Amino acid sequence: MPSRVITLIPQAIKALVVDDESSFFLLLQKILKKDHQFKSDHCNDPSKVMEMLKSQRYDLVFLDYHMPIFSGIEVLEQIKEEFPELPVLII
């Protein structure tokens, strides 16, 4: 009986970068683009994070700890309430 070979096509990892400073996002995006497996979006307004997470699928969130309006911890609590399995890296 011939063996079946299954080839998996790697899918890009989609990350959401939540940071009020666009300079950090641009730096992180440049680093992530070196690995073609990453695509990233930027959210500079922590009050819009949940809206973005509900409208698109993300595999990972990079979350700034110090932001105006909401702290990173407050945003993390909101994310984990609705998306408990979503990995979040606090930066």
Side-chain angles (χ1 to χ4, degrees), residues 16 60-65 76 86-91:
L16 177 61
L60 174 64
V61 176
F62 291 95
L63 178 61
D64 185 12
Y65 182 79
L76 175 65
L86 182 61
V88 178
L89 297 171
I90 296 181
I91 47 178

Side-chain angles (χ1 to χ4, degrees), residues 34-89:
K34 287 184 180 184
D35 181 349
H36 298 289
Q37 301 297 326
F38 273 93
K39 293 185 181 189
S40 58
D41 290 334
H42 181 224
C43 180
N44 63 358
D45 182 349
S47 67
K48 295 185 179 177
V49 171
M50 296 308 294
E51 181 182 320
M52 290 184 73
L53 290 174
K54 290 176 183 177
S55 69
Q56 294 187 50
R57 181 192 64 80
Y58 289 98
D59 302 303
L60 174 64
V61 176
F62 291 95
L63 178 61
D64 185 12
Y65 182 79
H66 295 286
M67 291 183 290
I69 305 170
F70 299 107
S71 74
I73 298 301
E74 290 172 307
V75 176
L76 175 65
E77 289 171 351
Q78 291 176 9
I79 292 171
K80 288 302 174 180
E81 188 174 309
E82 296 247 356
F83 303 95
E85 300 299 318
L86 182 61
V88 178
L89 297 171

Side-chain angles (χ1 to χ4, degrees), residues 25-41:
F25 167 71
L26 294 173
L27 174 64
L28 186 58
Q29 187 179 41
K30 187 175 183 179
I31 292 167
L32 294 176
K33 276 190 174 182
K34 287 184 180 184
D35 181 349
H36 298 289
Q37 301 297 326
F38 273 93
K39 293 185 181 189
S40 58
D41 290 334

